[in-house]
Amino acid sequence: MHATAATILIVDDEAKNRKLLDLLLRPTGYRTEYAASGEEALAAVRRSAPDLILLDVMMPGLDGYQVASRLKSQAATARIPIIMLTALTERGARLAGLDAGAEEFLSKPVDRAELWLRVRNLLRLKAYGDLQQHSAALQRQVSARTADLQRFRTAMDATADAILLIDRASMRFVEVNATSCSMLGYSRAELLAVGPEALGGGARAQYEGAYDAMIAGRGGAELYETELRRKDGSLVQVEVHRQALRSGTDWIIVGVVRDITERKLAQQRLHHQAHHDALTGLPNRTLFYDTLKKTLALAGEHGWQVAVLFVDLDHFKNVNDTLGHLVGDELLVRFSERLVQCVRLRDTVGRLGGDEFALILVTPEGQQGAAQVANKILAALRAPFELRGHTVNVSASIGITIHPDDADTPDELIKYADTAMYQAKHAGRDTYRFFTAQMNAAVLARLELETALRAALENDEFVLHYQPKVRLGDGRVAGLEALLRWQRPGHGLVAPGEFIALLEETGLVVRVGSWVIATACRQIRRWLDSPVGAVALSINVSGRQFVEGDLDAEVMAALVENAVPAELLELELTETSLMANTARTIDCLRNLKRRHVKISIDDFGTGYSSLAYLRRFPIDTLKIDIAFIRDVTSNPDAAAIVRAIISMAHSLNLNVVAEGVETLAQLSYLRRHHCDQIQGYYFSRPLDAERVGELLLQGRRLAPPEPCDERRQTLLIVDDDPLMLGMLVELFKDDGYHVETARSGAEGFDALARHEAQVILCDQCMPALDGAAFLDQVKAMYPDTVRIVLSGNADLASMMAAVNSGAVDRFYTKPWDGALLRDNIRQAFRHHRPPHGPGPHGGDALPEAA
């Protein structure tokens, strides 16, 4: 019968399984019949014997084993091939099926290709007689090489699996098919000249014992996986289905061998993919944890020290954002290669995700050995990476923890190493830190703070305080800045320095920023509806609100909802936040500016400080950072920066606000150099809405500056000795000068900020800052002053150096000649060089000192 006309009986108690098998067999052209139980199957076979039966094992009533046994026990049906279908994988279940008479097994779910091959091969074997008949005829075919043997060979050669028949008595192959020869690299004659030990590598006695055990079990089948050795010595992974069949008075061992190399390779690939990083090929988090767990177990047995290093690339996000993810991925691959070169073969390097890598080091040197590897990694990163035409320089932050000193479990060691890595980042990056208990306490405190912050937003614990900004022109309040405060239960009012950075890190700043916008606009509305009236209010905006939020829409929605004029709202941004996502930021700010919202740059001078972005962004105001204002009266560099910012801003038609003004001297200096507004504790600390409203209603303002008579001659005397100071004041009391005094360089700077002194008389020997050093700084800040040193213990060389450098114009020794000193001070005022006046010494040179 032609294969395509064969009839296959499908026996399964579930209709969906019968339908599935029918669909799988339909393309082959076989005819199919169905039975829903063992009883129906037996009845169908009695009516018309099929060519092959697909028989489910588990059925109610008669199960597959019972049906197979009955069919094989009857001569009329014994030759019908049976393929049992089962979801059971136990070896015992398969043996039971074979014992019942089944020729083949297929596992559920059924693979279509395997089903076709099994059915085709069994139908071919059936067409030429069952295996038992071929076994019985084998002895005749060995000697006679009849046509039946040739047909049997043809059938065997047609199979994709190797078939090897072994004579138990001679322990030699008596027949092999073509697949066997191609699989193992032998010719048919070469295989027929050897036995199974030539392929399996075991001793002959081992095979004899295994075959005898099969025979004793009445030919029971075996299915197992092993390796066979090819003629060239290479090994091939195979699955062997082995069965003992009687041949006359002897036994033939039939082995059906399938090459499972591809299956094994696929399994290995899947295993590798499940345990290794796809990009770098390094162990992934799962395998790294397993390796660390095994390493710790061995370390416990042998008393080893194990170091875990957590390595994170610094500013890796910038590479992805600026150069693209392809460059970022290549950087990770190249970095992993350098990382592997920094450790020994026995050490483990893994990628835990993103730009996070980790190492396992077995090190008898403990911290010292781990530090050496960390330094080696940092040094390996010194050389730049050449990536797709870009030169990229990166560094890394490394956290280190040691077993057993720090922890005993993989989870704790990796967590502690991660904690130490963040400490390395906080220390400035491009370094490493060892884990300490204090770090753990800090991490726990941070987690507690983060949890409390998340609850704070839900529980409405945030409040706004308001600090006035004052115009220096008329001393009146020009507006307010809204400052975020946290009313934390059990802790009181928390200052922003304790939580703002964490809001940024966690991304909560976006939600909190939205709350600030809405709350600020509501407060402006309340003041508009009260006697306070219109108040300009500025709020701080985070760079993340541009990137992650919809700042433009939020601001306009809050203004519209509260009916607030847009010109009363000002957004304060830092220079750094301006430069993040620049195009989007510019569009957003221009939209807001068109609607008359004001824009200011906060903390100016601490970020990019680029003239280019001052031109590109729609800015109204620059706020000079408190770091410069704090030292503006005493530090020439800070003073120069403040003056430069004021001048630059005014040239660009921008307003200037000085932050953190706390002293009259700072105020006076800023007034003198035409700063527009000040903000700070000198006028008012931040207040809640009620108290700042009272301040506004009171009309509180700055005291006006002292009237300045340009003709007034001011002499500043600086001496730390009160007696000397008093004597000098007494000396000049009748000369008509306005005399200011100071007992230190710091007080001297304050006095100079508050009063325009033309002549300075300073003692040389003062604590902290001596006279020459003080006057050297004065020269930079007030170059038009006449600077005179009075010293009782003069070092002539240092004084001459000070004179030559221009820091000191004259010096006099103690005790002084009063008349001469008074006369020289008069000469100093007469020759005082005003700004833009004559050369370095005014008109005439000062007279010689007595």
Side-chain angles (χ1 to χ4, degrees):
M1 182 182 296
H2 196 273
T4 55
T7 300
I8 299 175
L9 176 63
I10 301 172
V11 185
D12 198 301
D13 60 310
E14 292 189 22
K16 63 179 182 180
N17 291 339
R18 298 194 299 271
K19 185 176 181 180
L20 175 60
L21 290 169
D22 179 62
L23 289 172
L24 291 175
L25 289 169
R26 188 173 297 169
T28 63
Y30 300 125
R31 293 195 302 270
T32 54
E33 296 178 352
Y34 311 95
S37 66
E39 292 80 358
E40 287 186 21
L42 294 176
V45 172
R46 284 194 296 272
R47 288 193 303 272
S48 176
D51 296 290
L52 184 142
I53 300 174
L54 295 176
L55 179 59
D56 185 30
V57 171
M58 305 301 293
M59 294 185 296
L62 291 176
D63 62 18
Y65 299 134
Q66 294 170 315
V67 172
S69 295
R70 292 191 184 185
L71 292 174
K72 294 299 183 181
S73 64
Q74 300 175 19
T77 57
R79 294 181 56 198
I80 300 174
I82 297 174
I83 300 176
M84 282 195 166
L85 307 174
T86 178
L88 301 175
T89 60
E90 293 84 0
R91 182 170 176 268
R94 292 179 176 268
L95 291 177
L98 293 171
D99 188 52
E103 278 75 13
E104 290 283 3
F105 264 89
L106 284 175
S107 297
K108 293 181 179 180
V110 176
D111 178 82
R112 181 180 64 180
E114 187 175 11
L115 173 65
W116 288 359
L117 290 172
R118 301 280 190 183
V119 169
R120 185 193 67 184
N121 292 344
L122 284 180
L123 287 173
R124 285 176 174 172
L125 288 175
K126 182 178 183 301
Y128 300 111
D130 56 63
L131 284 176
Q132 187 70 36
Q133 290 177 328
H134 282 97
S135 299
L138 189 58
Q139 288 180 340
R140 297 190 302 274
Q141 293 169 349
V142 169
S143 57
R145 298 289 180 179
T146 62
D148 289 340
L149 176 58
Q150 187 58 46
R151 288 193 297 272
F152 178 61
R153 280 181 175 172
T154 302
M156 291 175 61
D157 289 344
T159 65
D161 294 334
I163 300 177
L164 303 104
L165 279 60
I166 306 165
D167 178 52
R168 168 61 188 90
S170 65
M171 288 300 292
R172 287 287 183 272
F173 294 118
V174 294
E175 191 56 79
V176 296
N177 67 348
T179 305
S180 302
C181 298
S182 60
M183 180 188 296
L184 299 171
Y186 289 91
S187 66
R188 185 185 298 270
E190 288 172 333
L191 277 178
L192 294 176
V194 298
E197 66 273 14
L199 305 180
R204 174 169 174 161
Q206 289 179 277
Y207 292 97
E208 290 176 339
Y211 297 159
D212 289 342
M214 291 177 63
I215 293 169
R218 298 184 180 180
E222 290 183 345
L223 182 67
Y224 61 93
E225 293 181 2
T226 186
E227 288 182 334
L228 295 182
R229 187 175 300 280
R230 296 188 178 97
K231 181 180 178 180
D232 62 7
S234 61
L235 298 177
V236 56
Q237 292 274 346
V238 295
E239 178 185 80
V240 179
H241 181 259
R242 189 167 63 183
Q243 187 173 6
L245 299 176
R246 183 178 293 279
S247 177
T249 60
D250 211 339
W251 288 85
I252 298 295
I253 309 300
V254 179
V256 179
V257 181
R258 173 168 297 170
D259 185 344
I260 58 172
T261 302
E262 287 300 322
R263 185 204 302 175
K264 286 296 182 182
L265 289 175
Q267 290 174 350
Q268 291 171 7
R269 284 194 296 269
L270 289 174
H271 184 273
H272 187 275
Q273 291 169 3
H275 293 84
H276 290 79
D277 174 52
L279 180 64
T280 64
L282 295 176
N284 62 11
R285 183 179 291 269
T286 300
L287 181 56
F288 187 86
Y289 267 77
D290 290 344
T291 304
L292 181 55
K293 185 176 181 180
K294 294 173 183 177
T295 304
L296 293 179
L298 290 172
E301 295 175 7
H302 300 285
W304 298 340
Q305 284 186 305
V306 178
V308 175
L309 279 66
F310 198 105
V311 184
D312 186 90
L313 285 175
D314 297 327
H315 303 300
F316 174 71
K317 184 176 182 297
N318 292 344
V319 177
N320 270 344
D321 291 345
T322 57
L323 302 180
H325 289 277
L326 288 178
V327 174
D329 287 348
E330 187 174 346
L331 174 59
L332 293 175
V333 172
R334 301 276 294 279
F335 171 68
S336 69
E337 293 170 354
R338 292 192 190 181
L339 204 56
V340 170
Q341 293 172 1
C342 294
V343 299
R344 301 160 298 188
L345 288 176
R346 69 181 184 184
D347 299 324
T348 298
V349 179
R351 182 187 178 205
L352 303 188
D355 61 332
E356 295 178 342
F357 295 80
L359 288 75
I360 303 171
L361 311 177
V362 178
T363 170
E365 299 89 359
Q367 286 195 355
Q368 182 180 355
Q372 289 175 351
V373 174
N375 281 318
K376 196 173 181 181
I377 294 170
L378 297 177
L381 289 176
R382 299 286 186 262
F385 292 88
E386 299 297 332
L387 308 172
R388 297 176 179 264
H390 300 281
T391 299
V392 178
N393 290 281
V394 295
S395 60
S397 298
I398 304 173
I400 308 172
T401 187
I402 305 293
H403 164 83
D405 299 344
D406 298 327
D408 294 319
T409 67
D411 285 334
E412 287 181 323
L413 285 168
I414 292 179
K415 180 178 72 172
Y416 291 165
D418 188 19
T419 298
M421 181 273 293
Y422 276 105
Q423 291 298 317
K425 284 193 178 296
H426 291 320
R429 296 180 168 82
D430 193 21
T431 188
Y432 62 87
R433 287 292 183 271
F434 284 93
F435 173 79
T436 64
Q438 289 81 359
M439 287 183 189
N440 193 42
V443 169
L444 293 176
R446 184 185 185 279
L447 289 174
E448 180 186 2
L449 184 63
E450 182 178 339
T451 302
L453 275 175
R454 294 184 185 277
L457 191 58
E458 303 299 329
N459 299 334
D460 200 24
E461 297 171 9
F462 290 114
V463 295
L464 291 182
H465 282 196
Y466 306 89
Q467 187 171 40
K469 294 183 285 186
V470 185
R471 286 189 298 268
L472 293 184
D474 59 12
R476 296 184 181 279
V477 173
L480 306 173
E481 179 182 0
L483 300 169
L484 185 65
R485 298 291 186 266
W486 178 17
Q487 193 69 49
R488 186 179 180 186
H491 293 76
L493 200 63
V494 182
E498 299 182 33
F499 66 88
I500 291 294
L502 189 54
L503 286 179
E504 287 278 0
E505 291 177 21
T506 58
L508 286 171
V509 72
V510 178
R511 293 174 58 199
V512 174
S514 299
W515 177 88
V516 169
I517 293 170
T519 304
C521 289
R522 283 196 297 271
Q523 185 58 57
I524 296 174
R525 182 71 259 168
R526 291 191 191 102
W527 283 326
L528 283 168
D529 295 337
S530 75
V532 173
V535 180
L537 184 61
S538 63
I539 58 176
N540 292 282
V541 178
S542 164
R544 295 188 71 158
Q545 288 176 262
F546 287 96
V547 178
E548 301 173 27
D550 191 353
L551 184 64
D552 186 3
E554 287 181 1
V555 170
M556 296 314 302
L559 291 172
V560 171
E561 181 180 349
N562 295 282
V564 170
E567 59 268 19
L568 292 181
L569 184 66
E570 182 177 57
L571 304 183
E572 294 191 8
L573 305 90
T574 64
E575 297 169 276
T576 303
S577 66
L578 273 180
M579 301 310 292
N581 197 22
T582 306
R584 182 175 176 181
T585 303
I586 291 175
D587 289 342
C588 178
L589 293 181
R590 286 178 176 169
N591 288 337
L592 292 169
K593 182 70 173 178
R594 280 194 294 269
R595 295 178 172 92
H596 307 295
V597 175
K598 300 290 192 296
I599 310 295
S600 70
I601 307 302
D602 198 12
D603 302 333
F604 187 79
T606 61
Y608 293 91
S609 300
S610 167
L611 290 174
Y613 80 69
L614 291 180
R615 180 178 57 83
R616 294 173 61 196
F617 291 95
I619 298 166
D620 298 291
T621 302
L622 297 183
K623 298 187 74 174
I624 306 175
D625 187 68
I626 188 175
F628 304 117
I629 302 303
R630 185 181 295 116
D631 299 328
V632 72
T633 63
S634 59
N635 185 308
D637 292 336
I641 290 172
V642 169
R643 293 195 304 271
I645 292 174
I646 294 172
S647 176
M648 176 184 65
H650 286 169
S651 69
L652 295 171
N653 296 317
L654 303 177
N655 290 320
V656 183
V657 180
E659 298 182 289
V661 176
E662 298 182 352
T663 68
L664 176 60
Q666 293 168 347
L667 172 64
S668 300
Y669 187 90
L670 293 166
R671 266 182 171 150
R672 183 182 303 176
H673 292 283
H674 311 294
C675 184
D676 298 303
Q677 298 176 18
I678 62 118
Q679 176 182 349
Y681 279 23
Y682 181 77
F683 183 80
S684 173
R685 65 178 56 248
L687 304 171
D688 60 30
E690 181 180 356
R691 288 191 295 166
V692 83
E694 294 172 357
L695 180 148
L696 294 172
L697 287 173
Q698 293 167 1
R700 181 177 164 190
R701 56 188 294 181
L702 280 173
E706 295 181 8
C708 181
D709 183 356
E710 293 183 358
R711 296 172 299 175
R712 185 176 73 175
Q713 294 181 323
T714 300
L715 171 63
L716 172 61
I717 304 174
V718 185
D719 199 313
D720 63 311
D721 186 340
L723 178 61
M724 289 292 179
L725 201 59
M727 291 172 63
L728 288 168
V729 171
E730 182 69 20
L731 178 64
F732 296 108
K733 70 176 182 178
D734 296 326
D735 291 342
Y737 307 136
H738 174 75
V739 178
E740 289 288 332
T741 61
R743 298 181 58 179
S744 66
E747 289 184 12
F749 284 123
D750 279 358
L752 287 169
R754 289 183 287 109
H755 305 281
E756 187 172 350
Q758 294 86 21
V759 179
I760 304 169
L761 181 61
C762 180
D763 181 34
Q764 169 63 12
C765 299
M766 293 189 299
L769 193 66
D770 65 34
F774 167 69
L775 292 178
D776 187 51
Q777 295 186 39
V778 170
K779 169 198 169 188
M781 298 179 65
Y782 305 96
D784 56 312
T785 56
V786 177
R787 299 171 296 277
I788 302 172
V789 166
L790 190 63
S791 175
N793 185 22
D795 177 352
L796 186 59
S798 62
M799 283 297 101
M800 291 306 300
V803 170
N804 291 333
S805 69
V808 174
D809 293 302
R810 297 293 296 167
F811 72 90
Y812 297 89
T813 60
K814 297 179 181 179
W816 58 82
D817 181 319
L820 183 60
L821 182 57
R822 289 174 64 195
D823 182 61
N824 277 271
I825 293 298
R826 280 193 296 271
Q827 293 290 336
F829 276 108
R830 187 160 53 248
H831 293 279
H832 165 252
R833 46 191 181 274
H836 315 298
H841 291 287
D844 304 325
L846 287 177
E848 292 292 330

